[in-house]
Amino acid sequence: MELLRTWLGHPEDIYNLLRFKMGGYRAVMPRIDPVSEAGCAVISLRRCYGLFVLPNGQSQVRDDCFLSSSRHAVCIFYLVLRALDTIEDDMTISLAVKVPMLHEFHSYLYQPEWKYMESKEKDRQVLEDFPTISMEFRNLSKVYQDVISDICHKMGIGMAEFLEKKVDSQHEWDKYCHYVAGLVGIGLSRLFSASELEDPIVGQDTELANSMGLFLQKTNIIRDYLEDQLEGREFWPREVWSRYAKKLSDLAKPENIDMAVQCLNELITNALHHVPDVLTYLSRLKNQSVFNFCAIPQVMAIATLAACYNNKQVFRGVVKIRKGQAVTLMMDATNIQAVKAIMYQYVEEIYQKIPSTDPSSNKTQQVIASIRTMSLPGGPMASRHHYSPIYLSCAMLLAALSWQYLSTISKATEEYVQAGEN
């Protein structure tokens, strides 16, 4: 029935799903030649890519050995951050042990024998095999090492800061999101520039790179309200939700649904303020593969916010975009004009749903007006020029950009990528 409803309401989704599975996915993530010019003699590097797994345990990168140095750097960057995140998430580690570990974690990259064997987390393998990861880190060019070590150091300090305190103000919400996602965007941008895939300004403009991460992180936090509540986590800023309820958990009560939706709309309005920065960032990219895989999570985020806006279901279950919709976004978001058109489409969808009585309605209309100014569709949606064919793994970059919260959307995307490859 779901397939029938999709066909009747969104026939383009069915068409794009079929096109994607029959090879269209190669337009956004071309297959890498499995035979390396240099061979695959480095077993440790294979092990690192073997650690790079999907939530269902399947390897994201199997025998793809023809890999550029920038790809290695992104893979190691992700694994280092995942190891750091595993330490933060492990509630069996006392704060007396955990805080110093987070502060010093960046130094472990230069300690060949360091590993941690006492974690109870599901991702503990990255800590148990850390000598393999750190060895490959030390094999990277110094320029990549410096970026990864610096981001790891800053993130560890930020994680330690928020271990014992909740997110109170909107400023602290931005700060928390910076530590867990903005720094990832900054680090990736610096890696892109260091590899010369992109101009130096991409890595230097940390404000725009930070907004890329914050937009994704805030979207996930907004969407995952109920899941986080069920697992005892709170990431919505007290400054906002306290205007609508005595406790954050009260928003899930049926009698509070009207106030809950108003709180939701205010947070979505906050997240939308990052869209102009996102568009400016994407407009600077010149490498086709970097553009594709920076743009894809951003357009999925705006589609998710449009689905969540003024939607009571956020407090009752999971709100997610259709799988066919996700595939359509993947295939369309290949040039800046197309991305602007997508952003315009979804902010218009939000605009049409703004309740006149909503306390944030004026602010929502204002931020949408600024996005409209930047994304008004005008002129043909010409395909972007294709530059250097140094392809970055879609799953790798998507995971790296939103590494702490693997979204339902990215899981759906990975599922179709895997289906297409098989």
Side-chain angles (χ1 to χ4, degrees), residues 261-296:
V261 169
Q262 290 178 4
C263 180
L264 168 71
N265 291 347
E266 181 172 345
L267 290 181
I268 290 176
T269 300
N270 177 295
L272 288 174
H273 281 88
H274 297 292
V275 173
D277 279 355
V278 167
L279 292 175
T280 301
Y281 180 97
L282 293 175
S283 70
R284 289 177 174 172
L285 300 179
K286 65 180 183 180
N287 179 277
Q288 184 66 56
S289 295
V290 173
F291 181 89
N292 288 354
F293 303 121
C294 285
I296 287 169

PDB file of all heavy atoms in Angstrom, residues 261-296:
ATOM      1  N   VAL A 261       4.299  21.959  19.634  1.00  0.00           N
ATOM      2  CA  VAL A 261       4.479  22.305  18.222  1.00  0.00           C
ATOM      3  C   VAL A 261       5.025  23.726  18.071  1.00  0.00           C
ATOM      4  O   VAL A 261       5.857  24.001  17.202  1.00  0.00           O
ATOM      5  CB  VAL A 261       3.150  22.128  17.449  1.00  0.00           C
ATOM      6  CG1 VAL A 261       3.249  22.730  16.051  1.00  0.00           C
ATOM      7  CG2 VAL A 261       2.802  20.640  17.357  1.00  0.00           C
ATOM      8  N   GLN A 262       4.599  24.628  18.921  1.00  0.00           N
ATOM      9  CA  GLN A 262       5.134  25.990  18.869  1.00  0.00           C
ATOM     10  C   GLN A 262       6.627  26.009  19.206  1.00  0.00           C
ATOM     11  O   GLN A 262       7.411  26.740  18.590  1.00  0.00           O
ATOM     12  CB  GLN A 262       4.359  26.886  19.844  1.00  0.00           C
ATOM     13  CG  GLN A 262       2.930  27.170  19.404  1.00  0.00           C
ATOM     14  CD  GLN A 262       2.178  28.025  20.408  1.00  0.00           C
ATOM     15  OE1 GLN A 262       2.744  28.479  21.410  1.00  0.00           O
ATOM     16  NE2 GLN A 262       0.893  28.240  20.159  1.00  0.00           N
ATOM     17  N   CYS A 263       7.019  25.197  20.176  1.00  0.00           N
ATOM     18  CA  CYS A 263       8.436  25.081  20.530  1.00  0.00           C
ATOM     19  C   CYS A 263       9.219  24.497  19.360  1.00  0.00           C
ATOM     20  O   CYS A 263      10.302  24.985  19.010  1.00  0.00           O
ATOM     21  CB  CYS A 263       8.579  24.184  21.762  1.00  0.00           C
ATOM     22  SG  CYS A 263      10.282  23.959  22.326  1.00  0.00           S
ATOM     23  N   LEU A 264       8.657  23.465  18.749  1.00  0.00           N
ATOM     24  CA  LEU A 264       9.268  22.842  17.575  1.00  0.00           C
ATOM     25  C   LEU A 264       9.482  23.868  16.470  1.00  0.00           C
ATOM     26  O   LEU A 264      10.574  23.954  15.875  1.00  0.00           O
ATOM     27  CB  LEU A 264       8.356  21.714  17.075  1.00  0.00           C
ATOM     28  CG  LEU A 264       8.650  21.102  15.711  1.00  0.00           C
ATOM     29  CD1 LEU A 264       9.927  20.272  15.766  1.00  0.00           C
ATOM     30  CD2 LEU A 264       7.474  20.229  15.258  1.00  0.00           C
ATOM     31  N   ASN A 265       8.473  24.660  16.190  1.00  0.00           N
ATOM     32  CA  ASN A 265       8.567  25.652  15.113  1.00  0.00           C
ATOM     33  C   ASN A 265       9.649  26.694  15.402  1.00  0.00           C
ATOM     34  O   ASN A 265      10.339  27.168  14.490  1.00  0.00           O
ATOM     35  CB  ASN A 265       7.214  26.336  14.912  1.00  0.00           C
ATOM     36  CG  ASN A 265       6.182  25.391  14.325  1.00  0.00           C
ATOM     37  OD1 ASN A 265       6.502  24.309  13.854  1.00  0.00           O
ATOM     38  ND2 ASN A 265       4.913  25.799  14.365  1.00  0.00           N
ATOM     39  N   GLU A 266       9.790  27.062  16.676  1.00  0.00           N
ATOM     40  CA  GLU A 266      10.816  28.039  17.024  1.00  0.00           C
ATOM     41  C   GLU A 266      12.218  27.482  16.776  1.00  0.00           C
ATOM     42  O   GLU A 266      13.105  28.182  16.270  1.00  0.00           O
ATOM     43  CB  GLU A 266      10.680  28.470  18.491  1.00  0.00           C
ATOM     44  CG  GLU A 266      11.713  29.517  18.884  1.00  0.00           C
ATOM     45  CD  GLU A 266      11.503  30.105  20.264  1.00  0.00           C
ATOM     46  OE1 GLU A 266      10.403  29.924  20.838  1.00  0.00           O
ATOM     47  OE2 GLU A 266      12.440  30.756  20.784  1.00  0.00           O
ATOM     48  N   LEU A 267      12.421  26.211  17.111  1.00  0.00           N
ATOM     49  CA  LEU A 267      13.741  25.605  16.893  1.00  0.00           C
ATOM     50  C   LEU A 267      14.033  25.419  15.406  1.00  0.00           C
ATOM     51  O   LEU A 267      15.175  25.586  14.962  1.00  0.00           O
ATOM     52  CB  LEU A 267      13.829  24.275  17.627  1.00  0.00           C
ATOM     53  CG  LEU A 267      13.877  24.357  19.158  1.00  0.00           C
ATOM     54  CD1 LEU A 267      13.981  22.960  19.764  1.00  0.00           C
ATOM     55  CD2 LEU A 267      15.045  25.216  19.610  1.00  0.00           C
ATOM     56  N   ILE A 268      13.024  25.073  14.631  1.00  0.00           N
ATOM     57  CA  ILE A 268      13.219  24.946  13.181  1.00  0.00           C
ATOM     58  C   ILE A 268      13.577  26.303  12.589  1.00  0.00           C
ATOM     59  O   ILE A 268      14.462  26.407  11.723  1.00  0.00           O
ATOM     60  CB  ILE A 268      11.953  24.350  12.521  1.00  0.00           C
ATOM     61  CG1 ILE A 268      11.815  22.878  12.911  1.00  0.00           C
ATOM     62  CG2 ILE A 268      12.025  24.504  10.989  1.00  0.00           C
ATOM     63  CD1 ILE A 268      10.553  22.209  12.384  1.00  0.00           C
ATOM     64  N   THR A 269      12.937  27.340  13.073  1.00  0.00           N
ATOM     65  CA  THR A 269      13.258  28.694  12.612  1.00  0.00           C
ATOM     66  C   THR A 269      14.716  29.028  12.925  1.00  0.00           C
ATOM     67  O   THR A 269      15.423  29.620  12.099  1.00  0.00           O
ATOM     68  CB  THR A 269      12.315  29.719  13.270  1.00  0.00           C
ATOM     69  OG1 THR A 269      10.962  29.413  12.905  1.00  0.00           O
ATOM     70  CG2 THR A 269      12.658  31.140  12.835  1.00  0.00           C
ATOM     71  N   ASN A 270      15.170  28.644  14.101  1.00  0.00           N
ATOM     72  CA  ASN A 270      16.573  28.841  14.483  1.00  0.00           C
ATOM     73  C   ASN A 270      17.496  28.131  13.501  1.00  0.00           C
ATOM     74  O   ASN A 270      18.487  28.705  13.015  1.00  0.00           O
ATOM     75  CB  ASN A 270      16.787  28.321  15.913  1.00  0.00           C
ATOM     76  CG  ASN A 270      18.229  28.414  16.368  1.00  0.00           C
ATOM     77  OD1 ASN A 270      19.115  27.759  15.827  1.00  0.00           O
ATOM     78  ND2 ASN A 270      18.485  29.214  17.390  1.00  0.00           N
ATOM     79  N   ALA A 271      17.179  26.883  13.174  1.00  0.00           N
ATOM     80  CA  ALA A 271      18.031  26.103  12.268  1.00  0.00           C
ATOM     81  C   ALA A 271      18.062  26.710  10.864  1.00  0.00           C
ATOM     82  O   ALA A 271      19.103  26.675  10.191  1.00  0.00           O
ATOM     83  CB  ALA A 271      17.544  24.660  12.212  1.00  0.00           C
ATOM     84  N   LEU A 272      16.953  27.262  10.413  1.00  0.00           N
ATOM     85  CA  LEU A 272      16.880  27.823   9.064  1.00  0.00           C
ATOM     86  C   LEU A 272      17.843  28.995   8.867  1.00  0.00           C
ATOM     87  O   LEU A 272      18.224  29.292   7.729  1.00  0.00           O
ATOM     88  CB  LEU A 272      15.454  28.279   8.760  1.00  0.00           C
ATOM     89  CG  LEU A 272      14.418  27.170   8.540  1.00  0.00           C
ATOM     90  CD1 LEU A 272      13.023  27.771   8.389  1.00  0.00           C
ATOM     91  CD2 LEU A 272      14.764  26.325   7.320  1.00  0.00           C
ATOM     92  N   HIS A 273      18.264  29.638   9.956  1.00  0.00           N
ATOM     93  CA  HIS A 273      19.191  30.760   9.826  1.00  0.00           C
ATOM     94  C   HIS A 273      20.549  30.340   9.265  1.00  0.00           C
ATOM     95  O   HIS A 273      21.329  31.185   8.826  1.00  0.00           O
ATOM     96  CB  HIS A 273      19.387  31.448  11.188  1.00  0.00           C
ATOM     97  CG  HIS A 273      18.267  32.370  11.557  1.00  0.00           C
ATOM     98  ND1 HIS A 273      17.135  31.950  12.237  1.00  0.00           N
ATOM     99  CD2 HIS A 273      18.076  33.707  11.317  1.00  0.00           C
ATOM    100  CE1 HIS A 273      16.319  32.972  12.410  1.00  0.00           C
ATOM    101  NE2 HIS A 273      16.861  34.048  11.865  1.00  0.00           N
ATOM    102  N   HIS A 274      20.833  29.039   9.245  1.00  0.00           N
ATOM    103  CA  HIS A 274      22.111  28.564   8.709  1.00  0.00           C
ATOM    104  C   HIS A 274      22.069  28.362   7.190  1.00  0.00           C
ATOM    105  O   HIS A 274      23.123  28.190   6.568  1.00  0.00           O
ATOM    106  CB  HIS A 274      22.512  27.249   9.383  1.00  0.00           C
ATOM    107  CG  HIS A 274      22.743  27.379  10.858  1.00  0.00           C
ATOM    108  ND1 HIS A 274      23.797  28.076  11.394  1.00  0.00           N
ATOM    109  CD2 HIS A 274      22.030  26.901  11.919  1.00  0.00           C
ATOM    110  CE1 HIS A 274      23.739  28.026  12.719  1.00  0.00           C
ATOM    111  NE2 HIS A 274      22.677  27.325  13.058  1.00  0.00           N
ATOM    112  N   VAL A 275      20.879  28.350   6.610  1.00  0.00           N
ATOM    113  CA  VAL A 275      20.760  28.045   5.176  1.00  0.00           C
ATOM    114  C   VAL A 275      21.523  29.032   4.289  1.00  0.00           C
ATOM    115  O   VAL A 275      22.212  28.603   3.343  1.00  0.00           O
ATOM    116  CB  VAL A 275      19.278  27.943   4.757  1.00  0.00           C
ATOM    117  CG1 VAL A 275      19.151  27.794   3.235  1.00  0.00           C
ATOM    118  CG2 VAL A 275      18.622  26.753   5.456  1.00  0.00           C
ATOM    119  N   PRO A 276      21.457  30.343   4.501  1.00  0.00           N
ATOM    120  CA  PRO A 276      22.256  31.243   3.658  1.00  0.00           C
ATOM    121  C   PRO A 276      23.751  30.922   3.683  1.00  0.00           C
ATOM    122  O   PRO A 276      24.414  30.968   2.643  1.00  0.00           O
ATOM    123  CB  PRO A 276      21.965  32.626   4.261  1.00  0.00           C
ATOM    124  CG  PRO A 276      20.577  32.500   4.821  1.00  0.00           C
ATOM    125  CD  PRO A 276      20.545  31.120   5.402  1.00  0.00           C
ATOM    126  N   ASP A 277      24.275  30.585   4.856  1.00  0.00           N
ATOM    127  CA  ASP A 277      25.686  30.182   4.940  1.00  0.00           C
ATOM    128  C   ASP A 277      25.940  28.908   4.148  1.00  0.00           C
ATOM    129  O   ASP A 277      26.976  28.754   3.486  1.00  0.00           O
ATOM    130  CB  ASP A 277      26.096  29.951   6.398  1.00  0.00           C
ATOM    131  CG  ASP A 277      26.423  31.241   7.130  1.00  0.00           C
ATOM    132  OD1 ASP A 277      26.433  32.313   6.485  1.00  0.00           O
ATOM    133  OD2 ASP A 277      26.675  31.180   8.347  1.00  0.00           O
ATOM    134  N   VAL A 278      24.995  27.967   4.225  1.00  0.00           N
ATOM    135  CA  VAL A 278      25.132  26.713   3.478  1.00  0.00           C
ATOM    136  C   VAL A 278      25.227  26.987   1.982  1.00  0.00           C
ATOM    137  O   VAL A 278      26.083  26.437   1.283  1.00  0.00           O
ATOM    138  CB  VAL A 278      23.943  25.773   3.783  1.00  0.00           C
ATOM    139  CG1 VAL A 278      23.900  24.608   2.790  1.00  0.00           C
ATOM    140  CG2 VAL A 278      24.034  25.244   5.216  1.00  0.00           C
ATOM    141  N   LEU A 279      24.356  27.851   1.490  1.00  0.00           N
ATOM    142  CA  LEU A 279      24.362  28.170   0.059  1.00  0.00           C
ATOM    143  C   LEU A 279      25.647  28.885  -0.349  1.00  0.00           C
ATOM    144  O   LEU A 279      26.205  28.615  -1.422  1.00  0.00           O
ATOM    145  CB  LEU A 279      23.144  29.017  -0.290  1.00  0.00           C
ATOM    146  CG  LEU A 279      21.793  28.301  -0.184  1.00  0.00           C
ATOM    147  CD1 LEU A 279      20.648  29.284  -0.428  1.00  0.00           C
ATOM    148  CD2 LEU A 279      21.712  27.140  -1.167  1.00  0.00           C
ATOM    149  N   THR A 280      26.136  29.770   0.499  1.00  0.00           N
ATOM    150  CA  THR A 280      27.397  30.461   0.183  1.00  0.00           C
ATOM    151  C   THR A 280      28.553  29.467   0.148  1.00  0.00           C
ATOM    152  O   THR A 280      29.398  29.514  -0.753  1.00  0.00           O
ATOM    153  CB  THR A 280      27.675  31.559   1.227  1.00  0.00           C
ATOM    154  OG1 THR A 280      26.594  32.490   1.219  1.00  0.00           O
ATOM    155  CG2 THR A 280      28.974  32.293   0.913  1.00  0.00           C
ATOM    156  N   TYR A 281      28.586  28.573   1.121  1.00  0.00           N
ATOM    157  CA  TYR A 281      29.641  27.554   1.167  1.00  0.00           C
ATOM    158  C   TYR A 281      29.626  26.706  -0.102  1.00  0.00           C
ATOM    159  O   TYR A 281      30.655  26.512  -0.759  1.00  0.00           O
ATOM    160  CB  TYR A 281      29.446  26.670   2.391  1.00  0.00           C
ATOM    161  CG  TYR A 281      30.483  25.567   2.551  1.00  0.00           C
ATOM    162  CD1 TYR A 281      31.581  25.737   3.383  1.00  0.00           C
ATOM    163  CD2 TYR A 281      30.341  24.346   1.887  1.00  0.00           C
ATOM    164  CE1 TYR A 281      32.523  24.733   3.534  1.00  0.00           C
ATOM    165  CE2 TYR A 281      31.273  23.339   2.026  1.00  0.00           C
ATOM    166  CZ  TYR A 281      32.368  23.528   2.856  1.00  0.00           C
ATOM    167  OH  TYR A 281      33.293  22.522   2.993  1.00  0.00           O
ATOM    168  N   LEU A 282      28.458  26.180  -0.451  1.00  0.00           N
ATOM    169  CA  LEU A 282      28.355  25.295  -1.615  1.00  0.00           C
ATOM    170  C   LEU A 282      28.715  26.024  -2.906  1.00  0.00           C
ATOM    171  O   LEU A 282      29.272  25.421  -3.834  1.00  0.00           O
ATOM    172  CB  LEU A 282      26.945  24.712  -1.703  1.00  0.00           C
ATOM    173  CG  LEU A 282      26.539  23.743  -0.587  1.00  0.00           C
ATOM    174  CD1 LEU A 282      25.076  23.346  -0.731  1.00  0.00           C
ATOM    175  CD2 LEU A 282      27.428  22.505  -0.586  1.00  0.00           C
ATOM    176  N   SER A 283      28.417  27.320  -2.976  1.00  0.00           N
ATOM    177  CA  SER A 283      28.709  28.079  -4.201  1.00  0.00           C
ATOM    178  C   SER A 283      30.209  28.214  -4.447  1.00  0.00           C
ATOM    179  O   SER A 283      30.623  28.506  -5.566  1.00  0.00           O
ATOM    180  CB  SER A 283      28.059  29.469  -4.131  1.00  0.00           C
ATOM    181  OG  SER A 283      28.703  30.281  -3.168  1.00  0.00           O
ATOM    182  N   ARG A 284      31.018  27.997  -3.418  1.00  0.00           N
ATOM    183  CA  ARG A 284      32.468  28.125  -3.559  1.00  0.00           C
ATOM    184  C   ARG A 284      33.140  26.837  -4.036  1.00  0.00           C
ATOM    185  O   ARG A 284      34.295  26.860  -4.449  1.00  0.00           O
ATOM    186  CB  ARG A 284      33.089  28.535  -2.217  1.00  0.00           C
ATOM    187  CG  ARG A 284      32.791  29.962  -1.808  1.00  0.00           C
ATOM    188  CD  ARG A 284      33.383  30.246  -0.432  1.00  0.00           C
ATOM    189  NE  ARG A 284      33.223  31.662  -0.079  1.00  0.00           N
ATOM    190  CZ  ARG A 284      33.511  32.168   1.109  1.00  0.00           C
ATOM    191  NH1 ARG A 284      33.971  31.372   2.070  1.00  0.00           N
ATOM    192  NH2 ARG A 284      33.343  33.446   1.345  1.00  0.00           N
ATOM    193  N   LEU A 285      32.435  25.735  -3.943  1.00  0.00           N
ATOM    194  CA  LEU A 285      33.056  24.450  -4.273  1.00  0.00           C
ATOM    195  C   LEU A 285      33.225  24.292  -5.779  1.00  0.00           C
ATOM    196  O   LEU A 285      32.322  24.641  -6.549  1.00  0.00           O
ATOM    197  CB  LEU A 285      32.214  23.300  -3.717  1.00  0.00           C
ATOM    198  CG  LEU A 285      32.010  23.290  -2.197  1.00  0.00           C
ATOM    199  CD1 LEU A 285      31.145  22.114  -1.788  1.00  0.00           C
ATOM    200  CD2 LEU A 285      33.338  23.278  -1.455  1.00  0.00           C
ATOM    201  N   LYS A 286      34.348  23.750  -6.188  1.00  0.00           N
ATOM    202  CA  LYS A 286      34.603  23.572  -7.621  1.00  0.00           C
ATOM    203  C   LYS A 286      34.771  22.108  -8.008  1.00  0.00           C
ATOM    204  O   LYS A 286      34.631  21.754  -9.168  1.00  0.00           O
ATOM    205  CB  LYS A 286      35.831  24.371  -8.040  1.00  0.00           C
ATOM    206  CG  LYS A 286      37.143  23.915  -7.417  1.00  0.00           C
ATOM    207  CD  LYS A 286      38.301  24.779  -7.897  1.00  0.00           C
ATOM    208  CE  LYS A 286      39.633  24.278  -7.331  1.00  0.00           C
ATOM    209  NZ  LYS A 286      40.775  25.105  -7.800  1.00  0.00           N
ATOM    210  N   ASN A 287      35.111  21.239  -7.052  1.00  0.00           N
ATOM    211  CA  ASN A 287      35.258  19.816  -7.366  1.00  0.00           C
ATOM    212  C   ASN A 287      33.890  19.154  -7.347  1.00  0.00           C
ATOM    213  O   ASN A 287      33.146  19.281  -6.375  1.00  0.00           O
ATOM    214  CB  ASN A 287      36.188  19.159  -6.343  1.00  0.00           C
ATOM    215  CG  ASN A 287      36.365  17.668  -6.617  1.00  0.00           C
ATOM    216  OD1 ASN A 287      35.535  16.873  -6.216  1.00  0.00           O
ATOM    217  ND2 ASN A 287      37.433  17.322  -7.307  1.00  0.00           N
ATOM    218  N   GLN A 288      33.558  18.474  -8.429  1.00  0.00           N
ATOM    219  CA  GLN A 288      32.209  17.929  -8.554  1.00  0.00           C
ATOM    220  C   GLN A 288      31.860  16.943  -7.446  1.00  0.00           C
ATOM    221  O   GLN A 288      30.754  16.971  -6.889  1.00  0.00           O
ATOM    222  CB  GLN A 288      32.050  17.231  -9.913  1.00  0.00           C
ATOM    223  CG  GLN A 288      30.643  16.703 -10.170  1.00  0.00           C
ATOM    224  CD  GLN A 288      29.614  17.823 -10.307  1.00  0.00           C
ATOM    225  OE1 GLN A 288      29.776  18.710 -11.137  1.00  0.00           O
ATOM    226  NE2 GLN A 288      28.566  17.787  -9.497  1.00  0.00           N
ATOM    227  N   SER A 289      32.795  16.070  -7.111  1.00  0.00           N
ATOM    228  CA  SER A 289      32.503  15.066  -6.094  1.00  0.00           C
ATOM    229  C   SER A 289      32.349  15.683  -4.720  1.00  0.00           C
ATOM    230  O   SER A 289      31.458  15.305  -3.957  1.00  0.00           O
ATOM    231  CB  SER A 289      33.616  14.011  -6.065  1.00  0.00           C
ATOM    232  OG  SER A 289      33.632  13.302  -7.273  1.00  0.00           O
ATOM    233  N   VAL A 290      33.210  16.635  -4.392  1.00  0.00           N
ATOM    234  CA  VAL A 290      33.076  17.325  -3.115  1.00  0.00           C
ATOM    235  C   VAL A 290      31.735  18.050  -3.065  1.00  0.00           C
ATOM    236  O   VAL A 290      31.030  18.003  -2.056  1.00  0.00           O
ATOM    237  CB  VAL A 290      34.241  18.316  -2.903  1.00  0.00           C
ATOM    238  CG1 VAL A 290      34.005  19.157  -1.654  1.00  0.00           C
ATOM    239  CG2 VAL A 290      35.567  17.571  -2.781  1.00  0.00           C
ATOM    240  N   PHE A 291      31.372  18.695  -4.169  1.00  0.00           N
ATOM    241  CA  PHE A 291      30.091  19.406  -4.203  1.00  0.00           C
ATOM    242  C   PHE A 291      28.929  18.446  -3.955  1.00  0.00           C
ATOM    243  O   PHE A 291      28.060  18.708  -3.109  1.00  0.00           O
ATOM    244  CB  PHE A 291      29.881  20.111  -5.539  1.00  0.00           C
ATOM    245  CG  PHE A 291      28.587  20.872  -5.593  1.00  0.00           C
ATOM    246  CD1 PHE A 291      28.533  22.192  -5.177  1.00  0.00           C
ATOM    247  CD2 PHE A 291      27.419  20.260  -6.013  1.00  0.00           C
ATOM    248  CE1 PHE A 291      27.330  22.893  -5.187  1.00  0.00           C
ATOM    249  CE2 PHE A 291      26.204  20.947  -6.035  1.00  0.00           C
ATOM    250  CZ  PHE A 291      26.174  22.260  -5.623  1.00  0.00           C
ATOM    251  N   ASN A 292      28.912  17.333  -4.689  1.00  0.00           N
ATOM    252  CA  ASN A 292      27.806  16.391  -4.563  1.00  0.00           C
ATOM    253  C   ASN A 292      27.592  15.960  -3.116  1.00  0.00           C
ATOM    254  O   ASN A 292      26.481  15.963  -2.598  1.00  0.00           O
ATOM    255  CB  ASN A 292      28.062  15.146  -5.414  1.00  0.00           C
ATOM    256  CG  ASN A 292      27.922  15.416  -6.895  1.00  0.00           C
ATOM    257  OD1 ASN A 292      27.536  16.504  -7.314  1.00  0.00           O
ATOM    258  ND2 ASN A 292      28.259  14.430  -7.706  1.00  0.00           N
ATOM    259  N   PHE A 293      28.674  15.589  -2.493  1.00  0.00           N
ATOM    260  CA  PHE A 293      28.533  14.959  -1.188  1.00  0.00           C
ATOM    261  C   PHE A 293      28.555  15.934  -0.023  1.00  0.00           C
ATOM    262  O   PHE A 293      28.333  15.540   1.112  1.00  0.00           O
ATOM    263  CB  PHE A 293      29.583  13.856  -1.049  1.00  0.00           C
ATOM    264  CG  PHE A 293      29.440  12.853  -2.165  1.00  0.00           C
ATOM    265  CD1 PHE A 293      30.487  12.615  -3.035  1.00  0.00           C
ATOM    266  CD2 PHE A 293      28.246  12.197  -2.365  1.00  0.00           C
ATOM    267  CE1 PHE A 293      30.337  11.714  -4.076  1.00  0.00           C
ATOM    268  CE2 PHE A 293      28.096  11.300  -3.410  1.00  0.00           C
ATOM    269  CZ  PHE A 293      29.142  11.042  -4.270  1.00  0.00           C
ATOM    270  N   CYS A 294      28.805  17.191  -0.307  1.00  0.00           N
ATOM    271  CA  CYS A 294      28.521  18.223   0.699  1.00  0.00           C
ATOM    272  C   CYS A 294      27.067  18.663   0.568  1.00  0.00           C
ATOM    273  O   CYS A 294      26.412  18.973   1.565  1.00  0.00           O
ATOM    274  CB  CYS A 294      29.449  19.432   0.515  1.00  0.00           C
ATOM    275  SG  CYS A 294      31.142  19.173   1.058  1.00  0.00           S
ATOM    276  N   ALA A 295      26.573  18.678  -0.659  1.00  0.00           N
ATOM    277  CA  ALA A 295      25.215  19.173  -0.900  1.00  0.00           C
ATOM    278  C   ALA A 295      24.148  18.174  -0.478  1.00  0.00           C
ATOM    279  O   ALA A 295      23.088  18.571   0.040  1.00  0.00           O
ATOM    280  CB  ALA A 295      25.048  19.520  -2.383  1.00  0.00           C
ATOM    281  N   ILE A 296      24.400  16.889  -0.679  1.00  0.00           N
ATOM    282  CA  ILE A 296      23.376  15.875  -0.422  1.00  0.00           C
ATOM    283  C   ILE A 296      22.827  15.919   0.998  1.00  0.00           C
ATOM    284  O   ILE A 296      21.603  15.984   1.201  1.00  0.00           O
ATOM    285  CB  ILE A 296      23.897  14.466  -0.790  1.00  0.00           C
ATOM    286  CG1 ILE A 296      23.950  14.327  -2.308  1.00  0.00           C
ATOM    287  CG2 ILE A 296      23.023  13.369  -0.181  1.00  0.00           C
ATOM    288  CD1 ILE A 296      24.695  13.087  -2.788  1.00  0.00           C
TER     289      ILE A 296
END
